[in-house]
Amino acid sequence: MNIYSYLKIFLLIGYSTCVGAQTLKSPKAFLGDEYGIQFTPHHRLVDYIEYVSAASDRVSIEPYGHTGEGRPLFLVFISSVKNQENLEAIRSTNLYNAGLIDQAPKNKMEKAIVWLSYSVHGNEAGGSESSMNVLYELAKGGEGIDSWLEETVVIMDPSLNPDGYSRYSHWVRGVSGKRTHPELTDVEHMEPWPGGRVNHYLFDLNRDWAWQTQVETQQRIKKYNQWMPHVHADLHEMGYDDHYYFAPAAEPFHKAITDWQRSFQFEIGKNHAHYFDKNGWLYFTREIFDLLYPSYGDTWPTFNGSIGMTYEQAGHGMSGRSIRLGNGKDLLLQDRIDHHTTTSLSTVEITAKNRSAVVDNFKEYYTQSLKNPVGKYTYYVVKRGEMTDQFVDLLDKNGIEFEYVSKDTRLNGYSYSSGKNASFEAKEGDVYISAFQPKSTLLQVFMEEEPILADSVTYDITAWCIPMAYQLDCYGFTSAPKVTTTSAAKNMKPAFNTGSYGFAVQWNYSFDSKLFLSRLLQKGYRVKSVQKEIDLGNVLLNRGDLVLLKFDQPNYEQLQEDLDQLADGLRLNISPINTGFAVEGSDLGGSGLTRIEIPRVLTFFGDGVSANEYGQVWYYFEQVIDYPISRVNIQQFARVDLSEFNTIILPDGYYSLSESNMNALSEWVSNGGKLIAIAGGIRNLRSNDAFAIGQAEDDAMKAELKAQREAQRKRDRKRKYEGAERRSIAGSIPGAVFKTELDNTHPLCYGMDHYYSLKNSSSRYPLLEGRTFNPVRIPVDYTSYGFIGSKLTNRFEDTVVFGVESKGGGTVIYMVDNPLFRAFWRSGEIIFANALFQVQ
């Protein structure tokens, strides 16, 4: 099917080519005959969109930023000429209707706003390819399309992930032969690590909509919040032998999703089905891709009042230019373009035809948000803690309103920590949030301890409570507490009075102390850590606090001069020290302080290493603590001189180290190295008796597991075929939160008094023995949030979450759960900073 056959499809809608648009070039006419056969370089995609914008008065472009590698990000606006001239009035009207701005526009214009997002996963390249064709069809216009564009503004993001798209498309072009090779055994169906799915830092941008850790997401959401579309379609690709998926979505739907959002998804799906039926294209709905986890390109818009949807075309990175399907037919790149073009245009059509209902229900959504919030609690007080600044930054990025407590007040509310009502002191600087606000639904989703699951067969993590992720004490209220608030945060700018003897920095006051330490060490300053509480009379030092003594510094006066630069932009609690004599505890020349060694860090990437999890380590060092890290392909392990490093990180993945490499690693640890193994990175150590984790499963545990498996096999002999999928999840944990026990006297837990761990793997290890500590562990009768398979619920009791082994002169830190998960489980970053700097 070629590009012009869309005239046949949309004759059903009844449009004819506009005379004024006959000179507009199609993508094939502009790019050449390879369009629809070969992947388009990103810069040529940009060229075509700029060409159409210049050639058509229906089209305008708005840049919104750049990617991590410097490629442009931009939106394309397609609408009638009159609407193009009044885009600001349309935007302001919509925000006013949602209660997001107070001033009504002088020229009120209610139009439906449709936002189409393409290829958030770069190697799902059929999306970006189809965006050019969708733009062409809309800009060219015709009788049917002309009427749609009178009723709608279409906002198109043609490439959400240009870095990943370019990585993939350039690779395919580089390995392409003269002929396509649809058989699976060919280089263009074997995309190399890390693949084009991910962005520069190898993050999955489709899990980042809510958390906004990545620069692409941060810039896009600013624009999204300025428009707040009524309908949002996120166009993806999936396995090459699957049929097309479109809305309505599968259960579980989050309970906050309205009847209107459900029903209009159904109408959109019926409209798509009409065109797919006419062409004999196969499709399915309601089987996978649920609407629960709030950080997808369908759920985040949904919790912002939109009709949020995912569309999935067969294709993905394995498909190349052409691939043979199970029925013997070949799936071509042009087929992928045709299908996505059809659902894109169908989305615009059905929205335009229901413009009044779409706009009215959007207004009603926000009216209910302001007057009748969903959720168990309608007010929250979040106690100030180490990550309060990061917490309110997340709220602000998402457009959620909040204030600060301005006067200490005694209150009684539901304590997230204890799971019951409790009396507490709301203090100046605590965060106060009312759910009676426009972004009420998104707020409630963020704050809920545990979503109600209509179905436990779900696509992603099932718990994400933000106060837990940020290690903040939270209290919920069903009625407004009597508290005095202010919109301005208390000024916490420190006074840098360093003292004649030295100065101390409180470790657990804010996350900024970790970044401050990073800067100090890179400058060559010598920093010590407090191991036990020390009372100097006017200064109380707690475990983990940083101490910089005049005696230790090569040039204390230079340090004092550098402080303004070192502490720039940071909120720190700095205390001057004028004596080394302790009223209680160790004197500052005694054993109560230990020097923090400057980490020289190495990690690995490559085949077998999880691209996402490696990227999270890389991102943490570069963007969170701004600290150098060396990165080496895991295949080159044997070529590395390990003695150049004192810290090695084994990221998550499914890779194996040879016996000789494992022996070298074991010897390096024994000689004083620090090894941090995360999740799947532990597997290599588990199979080696030289490490404590390899000795963890004793004979009794192995016997118990064997007996359980045998009993299950006997039960399975009589199982019914029906329900196989549901039985399979009994041994799974897609993502649940566990309340742990921790030992905050251990350096791994300095600055912490509790920790909630996000676990998305069934991996578990019994408590370590020997020269080990288990500073973070899951207790018997633990409290958890989210779905855990029935076969696993009892197996996590008395297991280690983070363990530490002393091995010879070195240390091994076992991180069974990934503390850097998607860079949104922010409290894990504190654990990781402790592992990097505090554990010696």
Side-chain angles (χ1 to χ4, degrees), residues 92 94-103 224-228 304 362 366 370 398-401 437-439:
S92 299
N94 188 49
L95 295 184
Y96 177 75
N97 287 342
L100 292 166
I101 59 173
D102 297 327
Q103 185 68 41
Y224 191 103
N225 280 330
Q226 291 172 10
W227 277 93
M228 299 299 292
N304 279 278
F362 186 80
Y366 278 92
L370 289 164
N398 281 280
I400 294 172
E401 300 168 359
Q437 61 167 294
K439 292 291 191 92

Side-chain angles (χ1 to χ4, degrees), residues 513-528:
S513 59
K514 286 68 177 169
L515 181 54
F516 184 58
L517 175 59
S518 168
R519 294 175 181 177
L520 287 167
L521 294 178
Q522 290 179 73
K523 278 281 191 178
Y525 291 113
R526 295 168 182 170
V527 186
K528 290 181 176 177

Side-chain angles (χ1 to χ4, degrees), residues 35-341:
Y35 178 73
I37 299 172
Q38 178 61 277
F39 293 100
T40 307
H42 183 261
H43 71 277
R44 292 294 287 154
L45 179 151
V46 174
D47 289 345
Y48 181 70
I49 289 172
E50 289 179 340
Y51 155 73
V52 175
S53 176
S56 173
D57 52 7
R58 297 169 181 255
V59 180
S60 59
I61 297 176
E62 183 177 353
Y64 68 86
H66 291 85
T67 68
E69 296 174 11
R71 294 183 176 86
L73 297 164
F74 56 91
L75 299 175
V76 186
F77 294 80
I78 312 107
S79 196
S80 68
V81 175
K82 181 180 179 181
N83 289 343
Q84 282 284 350
E85 294 170 349
N86 291 278
L87 284 179
E88 180 57 28
I90 295 169
R91 186 186 75 85
S92 299
T93 299
N94 188 49
L95 295 184
Y96 177 75
N97 287 342
L100 292 166
I101 59 173
D102 297 327
Q103 185 68 41
K106 294 179 180 179
N107 180 21
K108 192 173 183 181
M109 295 184 68
E110 290 187 340
K111 302 296 178 181
I113 302 170
V114 177
W115 188 304
L116 303 173
S117 293
Y118 296 90
S119 296
V120 68
H121 296 141
N123 63 356
E124 298 173 10
S128 289
E129 296 290 339
S130 66
S131 72
M132 293 181 279
N133 198 44
V134 174
L135 174 61
Y136 170 68
E137 294 292 342
L138 291 174
K140 182 180 63 172
E143 184 178 341
I145 289 179
D146 290 349
S147 64
W148 304 349
L149 297 184
E150 289 294 334
E151 301 297 332
T152 63
V153 172
V154 179
I155 305 174
M156 175 189 295
D157 192 331
S159 180
L160 277 72
N161 181 8
D163 292 347
Y165 174 80
S166 295
R167 188 183 305 123
Y168 176 72
S169 59
H170 282 293
W171 170 75
V172 174
R173 294 177 70 88
V175 301
S176 293
K178 181 178 179 180
R179 298 176 178 83
T180 59
H181 195 299
E183 290 81 11
L184 192 59
T185 306
D186 185 74
V187 61
E188 72 176 88
H189 305 303
M190 300 176 180
E191 185 183 9
W193 194 97
R197 177 183 179 89
V198 289
N199 75 339
H200 173 71
Y201 280 110
L202 311 191
F203 271 61
D204 185 333
L205 293 179
N206 195 40
R207 272 75 175 167
D208 195 48
W209 283 75
W211 320 133
Q212 300 175 48
T213 69
Q214 301 302 290
V215 65
E216 296 89 348
T217 316
Q218 293 164 5
Q219 296 169 105
R220 178 183 354 110
I221 297 302
K222 286 180 182 178
K223 286 299 175 186
Y224 191 103
N225 280 330
Q226 291 172 10
W227 277 93
M228 299 299 292
H230 306 116
V231 174
H232 180 267
D234 192 23
L235 288 92
H236 288 255
E237 291 188 317
M238 55 183 168
Y240 68 88
D241 217 6
D242 291 318
H243 304 304
Y244 199 100
Y245 165 83
F246 50 72
E251 292 286 356
F253 277 56
H254 193 280
K255 63 179 181 180
I257 296 173
T258 67
D259 291 342
W260 160 255
Q261 289 174 315
R262 287 173 174 262
S263 65
F264 196 61
Q265 272 204 14
F266 195 84
E267 295 305 312
I268 291 172
K270 287 198 299 183
N271 206 57
H272 297 344
H274 171 70
Y275 294 112
F276 273 59
D277 289 346
K278 290 291 183 181
N279 284 277
W281 297 336
L282 293 179
Y283 57 90
F284 68 98
T285 67
R286 293 166 286 189
E287 292 185 24
I288 52 176
F289 308 115
D290 56 78
L291 291 175
L292 183 70
Y293 175 63
S295 200
Y296 282 134
D298 51 10
T299 49
W300 189 86
T302 296
F303 297 136
N304 279 278
S306 180
I307 308 298
M309 299 168 293
T310 291
Y311 300 162
E312 293 270 0
Q313 160 64 39
H316 210 276
M318 187 178 286
S319 295
R321 297 167 295 165
S322 170
I323 193 164
R324 186 136 310 144
L325 304 179
N327 62 5
K329 294 182 178 181
D330 292 347
L331 175 69
L332 308 178
L333 176 57
Q334 185 63 58
D335 297 326
R336 295 150 67 179
I337 293 171
D338 294 342
H339 300 161
H340 267 335
T341 299

Side-chain angles (χ1 to χ4, degrees), residues 486-536:
T486 177
S487 59
K490 183 179 179 181
N491 184 7
M492 304 297 290
K493 185 175 176 60
F496 299 137
N497 182 0
T498 55
S500 60
Y501 201 82
F503 65 93
V505 181
Q506 191 172 337
W507 183 248
N508 66 345
Y509 182 75
S510 78
F511 189 81
D512 288 350
S513 59
K514 286 68 177 169
L515 181 54
F516 184 58
L517 175 59
S518 168
R519 294 175 181 177
L520 287 167
L521 294 178
Q522 290 179 73
K523 278 281 191 178
Y525 291 113
R526 295 168 182 170
V527 186
K528 290 181 176 177
S529 172
V530 178
Q531 302 301 293
K532 293 182 179 180
E533 287 79 1
I534 300 173
D535 186 353
L536 297 176

